[in-house]
Amino acid sequence: MTGHARIAAVTDVPTTHPQHSSPASRFFQVHLPMLLVVVVLLVAVVFLAQDRWRRGAFFIGGATLLAAVFRLCLPSARVGLLAVRSRPFDIGAYTVLGGAIIVMAATISSLGVG
């Protein structure tokens, strides 16, 4: 076998493994990061509904920072709906927005409200 034939034989091997998972399993594998962010946002809504705006704001900022961490650590195929633009843009936008929300929640006077 010559060098070219050996290279062709190696590159003809499929690089993906067959997937035997159900569509629901694949959905959760791709969208689990977004679902976790939504769960944190739902906790924030519960706090906001109870007039705990500062805690709710902290959770909203935390959910946004969680989205930034997921976008940083996971490949684009695994972050689902958290991938909006390019990876650097998404990470920067999520980080700035989440950080700004947390800073505002921490620095604004509660004016007698919890």
Side-chain angles (χ1 to χ4, degrees):
M1 187 180 277
T2 66
H4 294 291
R6 189 175 307 139
I7 291 172
V10 171
T11 58
D12 289 340
V13 177
T15 57
T16 60
H17 302 288
Q19 297 291 328
H20 297 293
S21 58
S22 67
S25 175
R26 282 181 292 207
F27 175 82
F28 283 111
Q29 287 175 353
V30 172
H31 296 294
L32 184 61
M34 182 64 183
L35 292 174
L36 292 174
V37 171
V38 168
V39 166
V40 175
L41 288 173
L42 289 175
V43 170
V45 169
V46 169
F47 280 124
L48 292 172
Q50 296 174 350
D51 287 332
R52 302 290 184 197
W53 67 268
R54 185 177 294 221
R55 289 181 191 160
F58 277 120
F59 273 89
I60 290 172
T64 309
L65 291 176
L66 181 64
V69 169
F70 283 146
R71 190 68 172 111
L72 176 68
C73 297
L74 297 174
S76 295
R78 291 285 317 273
V79 293
L81 296 173
L82 295 177
V84 179
R85 301 281 182 182
S86 68
R87 180 180 293 227
F89 180 86
D90 286 345
I91 293 168
Y94 290 145
T95 303
V96 168
L97 184 61
I101 291 171
I102 288 175
V103 166
M104 284 192 287
T107 58
I108 293 176
S109 172
S110 64
L111 300 174
V113 180

